Amino acid sequence: NPFSNTTTIELPSEPHILTVYDIVGNKIRQEQVSGTATIERGDLTKGIYMLEVRSESQTYSGKLVVE
């Protein structure tokens, strides 16, 4: 982080819901992931995004910076 094309995060092997929000809180993207998750830039423009990864037992959050 920051990334240009892709970034990878390591998660426990249980299913997670990965959600990306823009800086004002609008949901941009959501997908189900487990283990290693690759986030592709796709249509994300340069800027800062919020990342939330949620499972039945835990929630992780952080920032994504796209260059």
Side-chain angles (χ1 to χ4, degrees), residues 9-21 33-35 50-63:
I9 57 174
E10 297 289 329
L11 300 168
S13 59
E14 65 185 292
H16 291 77
I17 300 295
L18 183 147
T19 309
V20 177
Y21 298 93
V33 297
S34 61
M50 300 308 293
L51 173 70
E52 179 183 79
V53 182
R54 184 180 299 258
S55 71
E56 287 186 20
S57 60
Q58 297 180 345
T59 300
Y60 307 93
S61 61
K63 291 182 186 176

